[in-house]
Amino acid sequence: MALQLYNTRTRAVEPFAPLDGETVRIYVCGLTPSAEAHLGHARSFLFFDVLRRYLAHPRNGYRVTYVQNVTDVDDRSIATAEREGTTFEAVIARFYGSFKASMRTLGVREPDFEPYATQHIDTIVDMIAALVADGFAYATDDGVYFRVKSFPRYGALSHRNVDELLIGARIAENEHKDDPLDFALWKFAKPGEPAWPSPWGLGRPGWHIECSAMSHELLGEPFDIHGGGTDLIFPHHQNEIAQSEALLPPHTHMANVWMHGAMLNFDGKKMSKSLGNFEPLSSLLQRHDPLAIRLLFLQTGYRKPMNFTEDAIGAATSGVEKIRKAYDMLAVSHHPELEGQRDVRVAELRERFFAALDDDMNTAGALGVLFESLASLNAAFLEEALGVLGIGDILTRELAVAAVATVDPAIVERLRAALGDVVAINGEGPEGAIARAIDARNAARKARDFALADRVRNALAAEGIVLTDGKDGTTWTVAGG
Ligand SMILES: [Zn+2]
């Protein structure tokens, strides 16, 4: 069986292949970092991280281009900046920096593109102009709006029609627009607000249009996968489709597959500041093992709503210890006799592991197989499985930190004595000094000065530092440590 994914657009699980056969182009709606991120955000981005890893794994073998935007200007970032006497950029830099640090802690990889809305104003304005020119949008005295009734397929993604939406949504009347369902593409600036020029007046983009414009600029249409949380299906994704597809040839979709991660409740309730159960992700990660959080999320299917409790995280912790133990045994003392060992039993486990992922990313099933495999301790499979699930990165990092702790601080002086003529080691700690030496060795190898490269490697080996060259660079461990 090959990879199958649930597509919100068709409401069916479908075989997946990239449209061009090679590169999977993914756009996931990113954070609006005008406040602290919470654990619900982490769940969604963590899932798409695993999806990326699996698409790129040799089993699928696709190239992946992953775009995740940053909504850097919105009412809240402007209001916070005003309250604090600072700029919206400073507010965004603070919260987004904190979010990125949390993502690194959780082992979520960096996006390939991370477009900020305010850096793509030209593209956004061009798209709005095209919508106005084609009769899909109109200017009023407070901004530019999309005319929902001009787009007959509106509501298709959320499987609701316009009449139902009008009755159900109880949208507040806005005297500035022609119809309650119409939504803002451009908002004119009030005095003192950040503003950009447009043919209709100084202002800033609406939230929905930035995703349509930036995905168009970076990926084109149709791209392969559009992702986000289920809370974004309506109205955000519905509006993105209206904006993008209004300008596309008939029957052309903005995105082929729409994937939505289910919501995370906190002690049975929706997470919100007003309920008092909102804990910033950054502080939660100080109390809990990031690996346990990753495991807890992967133990629940991404489409199932999930309830986060302190008990649940406790249960995940015991699973983490099992994995850590197996990993340490295999990683610290190399077992060459196990490398490449693919007996019948491992082949069968491996097949079941990937079959689970092929089944609409059933990470819970895959984890079950991983735990079964711990008994057979096959280094190659463990490393492969942990890599796909994004657990390996966190373990490698832990190992590096642990290794540093066992290095004699005097190594800095000894490396300087041995390599001072070719490596500048000034003021670094052991980790920095080793990193400098590794950089120098890699530079020497690049310059085909293998004698120098060997000299550096030998100097490190004399200190018990063992180098491993991988596709993501050179890592080191302490021999016998
Ligand atoms: Zn979006």
PDB file of all heavy atoms in Angstrom, residues 442-472:
ATOM      1  N   ASN A 442      36.280  20.043   8.289  1.00  0.00           N
ATOM      2  CA  ASN A 442      35.399  20.023   7.124  1.00  0.00           C
ATOM      3  C   ASN A 442      35.909  20.976   6.032  1.00  0.00           C
ATOM      4  O   ASN A 442      35.822  20.664   4.845  1.00  0.00           O
ATOM      5  CB  ASN A 442      33.964  20.366   7.529  1.00  0.00           C
ATOM      6  CG  ASN A 442      33.320  19.208   8.300  1.00  0.00           C
ATOM      7  OD1 ASN A 442      33.809  18.080   8.257  1.00  0.00           O
ATOM      8  ND2 ASN A 442      32.247  19.497   9.020  1.00  0.00           N
ATOM      9  N   ALA A 443      36.459  22.106   6.469  1.00  0.00           N
ATOM     10  CA  ALA A 443      37.020  23.055   5.492  1.00  0.00           C
ATOM     11  C   ALA A 443      38.219  22.422   4.786  1.00  0.00           C
ATOM     12  O   ALA A 443      38.373  22.547   3.565  1.00  0.00           O
ATOM     13  CB  ALA A 443      37.431  24.347   6.192  1.00  0.00           C
ATOM     14  N   ALA A 444      39.032  21.716   5.562  1.00  0.00           N
ATOM     15  CA  ALA A 444      40.210  21.065   4.971  1.00  0.00           C
ATOM     16  C   ALA A 444      39.791  19.988   3.968  1.00  0.00           C
ATOM     17  O   ALA A 444      40.371  19.850   2.895  1.00  0.00           O
ATOM     18  CB  ALA A 444      41.075  20.462   6.084  1.00  0.00           C
ATOM     19  N   ARG A 445      38.736  19.255   4.332  1.00  0.00           N
ATOM     20  CA  ARG A 445      38.274  18.207   3.415  1.00  0.00           C
ATOM     21  C   ARG A 445      37.753  18.807   2.117  1.00  0.00           C
ATOM     22  O   ARG A 445      37.950  18.276   1.035  1.00  0.00           O
ATOM     23  CB  ARG A 445      37.187  17.361   4.083  1.00  0.00           C
ATOM     24  CG  ARG A 445      37.759  16.486   5.201  1.00  0.00           C
ATOM     25  CD  ARG A 445      36.942  15.248   5.422  1.00  0.00           C
ATOM     26  NE  ARG A 445      35.556  15.587   5.748  1.00  0.00           N
ATOM     27  CZ  ARG A 445      34.595  14.687   5.836  1.00  0.00           C
ATOM     28  NH1 ARG A 445      34.848  13.415   5.598  1.00  0.00           N
ATOM     29  NH2 ARG A 445      33.384  15.055   6.158  1.00  0.00           N
ATOM     30  N   LYS A 446      37.044  19.925   2.275  1.00  0.00           N
ATOM     31  CA  LYS A 446      36.488  20.606   1.105  1.00  0.00           C
ATOM     32  C   LYS A 446      37.613  21.060   0.174  1.00  0.00           C
ATOM     33  O   LYS A 446      37.499  20.996  -1.035  1.00  0.00           O
ATOM     34  CB  LYS A 446      35.670  21.818   1.564  1.00  0.00           C
ATOM     35  CG  LYS A 446      34.386  22.002   0.797  1.00  0.00           C
ATOM     36  CD  LYS A 446      33.534  23.068   1.458  1.00  0.00           C
ATOM     37  CE  LYS A 446      32.216  23.229   0.754  1.00  0.00           C
ATOM     38  NZ  LYS A 446      31.354  24.167   1.463  1.00  0.00           N
ATOM     39  N   ALA A 447      38.717  21.508   0.813  1.00  0.00           N
ATOM     40  CA  ALA A 447      39.874  21.976   0.044  1.00  0.00           C
ATOM     41  C   ALA A 447      40.764  20.807  -0.380  1.00  0.00           C
ATOM     42  O   ALA A 447      41.850  21.019  -0.909  1.00  0.00           O
ATOM     43  CB  ALA A 447      40.664  22.979   0.874  1.00  0.00           C
ATOM     44  N   ARG A 448      40.305  19.591  -0.108  1.00  0.00           N
ATOM     45  CA  ARG A 448      41.026  18.361  -0.448  1.00  0.00           C
ATOM     46  C   ARG A 448      42.404  18.287   0.233  1.00  0.00           C
ATOM     47  O   ARG A 448      43.319  17.647  -0.268  1.00  0.00           O
ATOM     48  CB  ARG A 448      41.135  18.189  -1.969  1.00  0.00           C
ATOM     49  CG  ARG A 448      39.770  18.255  -2.663  1.00  0.00           C
ATOM     50  CD  ARG A 448      39.817  17.841  -4.125  1.00  0.00           C
ATOM     51  NE  ARG A 448      40.116  16.415  -4.310  1.00  0.00           N
ATOM     52  CZ  ARG A 448      39.254  15.430  -4.137  1.00  0.00           C
ATOM     53  NH1 ARG A 448      38.020  15.702  -3.733  1.00  0.00           N
ATOM     54  NH2 ARG A 448      39.592  14.173  -4.327  1.00  0.00           N
ATOM     55  N   ASP A 449      42.520  18.965   1.381  1.00  0.00           N
ATOM     56  CA  ASP A 449      43.749  18.864   2.175  1.00  0.00           C
ATOM     57  C   ASP A 449      43.523  17.755   3.209  1.00  0.00           C
ATOM     58  O   ASP A 449      43.237  18.006   4.376  1.00  0.00           O
ATOM     59  CB  ASP A 449      44.035  20.214   2.849  1.00  0.00           C
ATOM     60  CG  ASP A 449      45.372  20.207   3.598  1.00  0.00           C
ATOM     61  OD1 ASP A 449      45.942  19.102   3.798  1.00  0.00           O
ATOM     62  OD2 ASP A 449      45.835  21.294   3.988  1.00  0.00           O
ATOM     63  N   PHE A 450      43.609  16.521   2.736  1.00  0.00           N
ATOM     64  CA  PHE A 450      43.236  15.390   3.592  1.00  0.00           C
ATOM     65  C   PHE A 450      44.224  15.167   4.734  1.00  0.00           C
ATOM     66  O   PHE A 450      43.870  14.645   5.775  1.00  0.00           O
ATOM     67  CB  PHE A 450      43.043  14.127   2.743  1.00  0.00           C
ATOM     68  CG  PHE A 450      41.924  14.283   1.758  1.00  0.00           C
ATOM     69  CD1 PHE A 450      42.154  14.323   0.391  1.00  0.00           C
ATOM     70  CD2 PHE A 450      40.615  14.443   2.210  1.00  0.00           C
ATOM     71  CE1 PHE A 450      41.119  14.494  -0.513  1.00  0.00           C
ATOM     72  CE2 PHE A 450      39.561  14.618   1.306  1.00  0.00           C
ATOM     73  CZ  PHE A 450      39.822  14.643  -0.056  1.00  0.00           C
ATOM     74  N   ALA A 451      45.483  15.605   4.512  1.00  0.00           N
ATOM     75  CA  ALA A 451      46.476  15.457   5.583  1.00  0.00           C
ATOM     76  C   ALA A 451      46.056  16.311   6.784  1.00  0.00           C
ATOM     77  O   ALA A 451      46.066  15.850   7.933  1.00  0.00           O
ATOM     78  CB  ALA A 451      47.860  15.882   5.081  1.00  0.00           C
ATOM     79  N   LEU A 452      45.638  17.543   6.500  1.00  0.00           N
ATOM     80  CA  LEU A 452      45.211  18.428   7.579  1.00  0.00           C
ATOM     81  C   LEU A 452      43.924  17.894   8.224  1.00  0.00           C
ATOM     82  O   LEU A 452      43.787  17.880   9.452  1.00  0.00           O
ATOM     83  CB  LEU A 452      45.000  19.853   7.053  1.00  0.00           C
ATOM     84  CG  LEU A 452      44.469  20.861   8.071  1.00  0.00           C
ATOM     85  CD1 LEU A 452      45.405  20.977   9.272  1.00  0.00           C
ATOM     86  CD2 LEU A 452      44.265  22.242   7.427  1.00  0.00           C
ATOM     87  N   ALA A 453      42.990  17.437   7.379  1.00  0.00           N
ATOM     88  CA  ALA A 453      41.734  16.898   7.905  1.00  0.00           C
ATOM     89  C   ALA A 453      42.015  15.737   8.857  1.00  0.00           C
ATOM     90  O   ALA A 453      41.427  15.647   9.947  1.00  0.00           O
ATOM     91  CB  ALA A 453      40.839  16.441   6.755  1.00  0.00           C
ATOM     92  N   ASP A 454      42.931  14.867   8.475  1.00  0.00           N
ATOM     93  CA  ASP A 454      43.278  13.725   9.332  1.00  0.00           C
ATOM     94  C   ASP A 454      43.952  14.183  10.620  1.00  0.00           C
ATOM     95  O   ASP A 454      43.733  13.616  11.688  1.00  0.00           O
ATOM     96  CB  ASP A 454      44.200  12.751   8.583  1.00  0.00           C
ATOM     97  CG  ASP A 454      43.439  11.952   7.539  1.00  0.00           C
ATOM     98  OD1 ASP A 454      42.174  11.988   7.597  1.00  0.00           O
ATOM     99  OD2 ASP A 454      44.073  11.326   6.678  1.00  0.00           O
ATOM    100  N   ARG A 455      44.770  15.221  10.490  1.00  0.00           N
ATOM    101  CA  ARG A 455      45.468  15.726  11.684  1.00  0.00           C
ATOM    102  C   ARG A 455      44.442  16.229  12.714  1.00  0.00           C
ATOM    103  O   ARG A 455      44.547  15.957  13.908  1.00  0.00           O
ATOM    104  CB  ARG A 455      46.423  16.858  11.268  1.00  0.00           C
ATOM    105  CG  ARG A 455      47.468  17.155  12.306  1.00  0.00           C
ATOM    106  CD  ARG A 455      48.298  18.360  11.895  1.00  0.00           C
ATOM    107  NE  ARG A 455      48.344  19.309  12.988  1.00  0.00           N
ATOM    108  CZ  ARG A 455      48.598  20.607  12.841  1.00  0.00           C
ATOM    109  NH1 ARG A 455      48.799  21.113  11.645  1.00  0.00           N
ATOM    110  NH2 ARG A 455      48.625  21.386  13.898  1.00  0.00           N
ATOM    111  N   VAL A 456      43.432  16.939  12.226  1.00  0.00           N
ATOM    112  CA  VAL A 456      42.403  17.451  13.140  1.00  0.00           C
ATOM    113  C   VAL A 456      41.618  16.286  13.752  1.00  0.00           C
ATOM    114  O   VAL A 456      41.387  16.241  14.963  1.00  0.00           O
ATOM    115  CB  VAL A 456      41.444  18.429  12.407  1.00  0.00           C
ATOM    116  CG1 VAL A 456      40.334  18.873  13.346  1.00  0.00           C
ATOM    117  CG2 VAL A 456      42.209  19.640  11.872  1.00  0.00           C
ATOM    118  N   ARG A 457      41.245  15.342  12.896  1.00  0.00           N
ATOM    119  CA  ARG A 457      40.493  14.199  13.403  1.00  0.00           C
ATOM    120  C   ARG A 457      41.305  13.440  14.470  1.00  0.00           C
ATOM    121  O   ARG A 457      40.769  13.056  15.514  1.00  0.00           O
ATOM    122  CB  ARG A 457      40.118  13.239  12.257  1.00  0.00           C
ATOM    123  CG  ARG A 457      39.386  11.998  12.746  1.00  0.00           C
ATOM    124  CD  ARG A 457      39.208  10.956  11.650  1.00  0.00           C
ATOM    125  NE  ARG A 457      37.965  11.119  10.902  1.00  0.00           N
ATOM    126  CZ  ARG A 457      36.806  10.554  11.230  1.00  0.00           C
ATOM    127  NH1 ARG A 457      36.716   9.803  12.299  1.00  0.00           N
ATOM    128  NH2 ARG A 457      35.736  10.736  10.506  1.00  0.00           N
ATOM    129  N   ASN A 458      42.595  13.283  14.209  1.00  0.00           N
ATOM    130  CA  ASN A 458      43.427  12.554  15.169  1.00  0.00           C
ATOM    131  C   ASN A 458      43.580  13.311  16.487  1.00  0.00           C
ATOM    132  O   ASN A 458      43.606  12.706  17.564  1.00  0.00           O
ATOM    133  CB  ASN A 458      44.810  12.261  14.562  1.00  0.00           C
ATOM    134  CG  ASN A 458      44.708  11.265  13.410  1.00  0.00           C
ATOM    135  OD1 ASN A 458      43.729  10.519  13.336  1.00  0.00           O
ATOM    136  ND2 ASN A 458      45.682  11.267  12.516  1.00  0.00           N
ATOM    137  N   ALA A 459      43.672  14.643  16.381  1.00  0.00           N
ATOM    138  CA  ALA A 459      43.788  15.439  17.608  1.00  0.00           C
ATOM    139  C   ALA A 459      42.531  15.264  18.457  1.00  0.00           C
ATOM    140  O   ALA A 459      42.595  15.164  19.689  1.00  0.00           O
ATOM    141  CB  ALA A 459      44.016  16.909  17.264  1.00  0.00           C
ATOM    142  N   LEU A 460      41.388  15.224  17.803  1.00  0.00           N
ATOM    143  CA  LEU A 460      40.129  15.018  18.530  1.00  0.00           C
ATOM    144  C   LEU A 460      40.064  13.592  19.075  1.00  0.00           C
ATOM    145  O   LEU A 460      39.644  13.363  20.210  1.00  0.00           O
ATOM    146  CB  LEU A 460      38.927  15.298  17.614  1.00  0.00           C
ATOM    147  CG  LEU A 460      38.693  16.785  17.286  1.00  0.00           C
ATOM    148  CD1 LEU A 460      37.682  16.920  16.146  1.00  0.00           C
ATOM    149  CD2 LEU A 460      38.199  17.541  18.517  1.00  0.00           C
ATOM    150  N   ALA A 461      40.496  12.641  18.260  1.00  0.00           N
ATOM    151  CA  ALA A 461      40.457  11.235  18.692  1.00  0.00           C
ATOM    152  C   ALA A 461      41.334  11.038  19.934  1.00  0.00           C
ATOM    153  O   ALA A 461      40.984  10.265  20.832  1.00  0.00           O
ATOM    154  CB  ALA A 461      40.922  10.321  17.554  1.00  0.00           C
ATOM    155  N   ALA A 462      42.447  11.779  19.981  1.00  0.00           N
ATOM    156  CA  ALA A 462      43.334  11.671  21.145  1.00  0.00           C
ATOM    157  C   ALA A 462      42.625  12.113  22.412  1.00  0.00           C
ATOM    158  O   ALA A 462      42.979  11.724  23.522  1.00  0.00           O
ATOM    159  CB  ALA A 462      44.590  12.521  20.913  1.00  0.00           C
ATOM    160  N   GLU A 463      41.583  12.945  22.250  1.00  0.00           N
ATOM    161  CA  GLU A 463      40.783  13.403  23.384  1.00  0.00           C
ATOM    162  C   GLU A 463      39.557  12.525  23.595  1.00  0.00           C
ATOM    163  O   GLU A 463      38.685  12.844  24.401  1.00  0.00           O
ATOM    164  CB  GLU A 463      40.330  14.851  23.146  1.00  0.00           C
ATOM    165  CG  GLU A 463      41.473  15.854  23.069  1.00  0.00           C
ATOM    166  CD  GLU A 463      42.180  16.016  24.419  1.00  0.00           C
ATOM    167  OE1 GLU A 463      41.551  15.704  25.460  1.00  0.00           O
ATOM    168  OE2 GLU A 463      43.349  16.436  24.423  1.00  0.00           O
ATOM    169  N   GLY A 464      39.469  11.453  22.826  1.00  0.00           N
ATOM    170  CA  GLY A 464      38.327  10.557  22.981  1.00  0.00           C
ATOM    171  C   GLY A 464      37.079  11.026  22.251  1.00  0.00           C
ATOM    172  O   GLY A 464      35.976  10.532  22.482  1.00  0.00           O
ATOM    173  N   ILE A 465      37.259  12.015  21.354  1.00  0.00           N
ATOM    174  CA  ILE A 465      36.097  12.527  20.609  1.00  0.00           C
ATOM    175  C   ILE A 465      36.001  11.789  19.268  1.00  0.00           C
ATOM    176  O   ILE A 465      36.926  11.834  18.459  1.00  0.00           O
ATOM    177  CB  ILE A 465      36.232  14.044  20.318  1.00  0.00           C
ATOM    178  CG1 ILE A 465      36.485  14.830  21.615  1.00  0.00           C
ATOM    179  CG2 ILE A 465      35.002  14.571  19.587  1.00  0.00           C
ATOM    180  CD1 ILE A 465      35.358  14.802  22.610  1.00  0.00           C
ATOM    181  N   VAL A 466      34.868  11.099  19.082  1.00  0.00           N
ATOM    182  CA  VAL A 466      34.670  10.311  17.872  1.00  0.00           C
ATOM    183  C   VAL A 466      33.728  11.068  16.940  1.00  0.00           C
ATOM    184  O   VAL A 466      32.648  11.488  17.350  1.00  0.00           O
ATOM    185  CB  VAL A 466      34.057   8.934  18.212  1.00  0.00           C
ATOM    186  CG1 VAL A 466      33.850   8.109  16.945  1.00  0.00           C
ATOM    187  CG2 VAL A 466      34.940   8.199  19.212  1.00  0.00           C
ATOM    188  N   LEU A 467      34.144  11.247  15.701  1.00  0.00           N
ATOM    189  CA  LEU A 467      33.316  11.992  14.747  1.00  0.00           C
ATOM    190  C   LEU A 467      32.500  11.034  13.882  1.00  0.00           C
ATOM    191  O   LEU A 467      32.971   9.974  13.502  1.00  0.00           O
ATOM    192  CB  LEU A 467      34.197  12.861  13.842  1.00  0.00           C
ATOM    193  CG  LEU A 467      35.130  13.850  14.546  1.00  0.00           C
ATOM    194  CD1 LEU A 467      35.858  14.696  13.502  1.00  0.00           C
ATOM    195  CD2 LEU A 467      34.350  14.748  15.507  1.00  0.00           C
ATOM    196  N   THR A 468      31.278  11.458  13.593  1.00  0.00           N
ATOM    197  CA  THR A 468      30.439  10.713  12.655  1.00  0.00           C
ATOM    198  C   THR A 468      29.962  11.688  11.594  1.00  0.00           C
ATOM    199  O   THR A 468      29.371  12.719  11.911  1.00  0.00           O
ATOM    200  CB  THR A 468      29.218  10.114  13.375  1.00  0.00           C
ATOM    201  OG1 THR A 468      29.673   9.399  14.519  1.00  0.00           O
ATOM    202  CG2 THR A 468      28.448   9.171  12.461  1.00  0.00           C
ATOM    203  N   ASP A 469      30.233  11.354  10.325  1.00  0.00           N
ATOM    204  CA  ASP A 469      29.792  12.235   9.244  1.00  0.00           C
ATOM    205  C   ASP A 469      28.461  11.735   8.712  1.00  0.00           C
ATOM    206  O   ASP A 469      28.351  10.603   8.242  1.00  0.00           O
ATOM    207  CB  ASP A 469      30.839  12.261   8.120  1.00  0.00           C
ATOM    208  CG  ASP A 469      32.149  12.853   8.622  1.00  0.00           C
ATOM    209  OD1 ASP A 469      32.095  13.941   9.220  1.00  0.00           O
ATOM    210  OD2 ASP A 469      33.216  12.227   8.421  1.00  0.00           O
ATOM    211  N   GLY A 470      27.440  12.590   8.786  1.00  0.00           N
ATOM    212  CA  GLY A 470      26.119  12.227   8.272  1.00  0.00           C
ATOM    213  C   GLY A 470      25.700  13.226   7.216  1.00  0.00           C
ATOM    214  O   GLY A 470      26.428  14.170   6.921  1.00  0.00           O
ATOM    215  N   LYS A 471      24.506  12.999   6.662  1.00  0.00           N
ATOM    216  CA  LYS A 471      24.086  13.893   5.586  1.00  0.00           C
ATOM    217  C   LYS A 471      23.738  15.289   6.108  1.00  0.00           C
ATOM    218  O   LYS A 471      23.722  16.256   5.369  1.00  0.00           O
ATOM    219  CB  LYS A 471      22.914  13.292   4.791  1.00  0.00           C
ATOM    220  CG  LYS A 471      21.643  13.057   5.581  1.00  0.00           C
ATOM    221  CD  LYS A 471      20.591  12.466   4.650  1.00  0.00           C
ATOM    222  CE  LYS A 471      19.215  12.372   5.292  1.00  0.00           C
ATOM    223  NZ  LYS A 471      19.143  11.663   6.554  1.00  0.00           N
ATOM    224  N   ASP A 472      23.460  15.395   7.423  1.00  0.00           N
ATOM    225  CA  ASP A 472      23.159  16.709   7.986  1.00  0.00           C
ATOM    226  C   ASP A 472      24.374  17.332   8.667  1.00  0.00           C
ATOM    227  O   ASP A 472      24.247  18.249   9.468  1.00  0.00           O
ATOM    228  CB  ASP A 472      22.010  16.598   9.006  1.00  0.00           C
ATOM    229  CG  ASP A 472      20.739  16.140   8.327  1.00  0.00           C
ATOM    230  OD1 ASP A 472      20.492  16.564   7.191  1.00  0.00           O
ATOM    231  OD2 ASP A 472      19.997  15.342   8.934  1.00  0.00           O
TER     232      ASP A 472
END
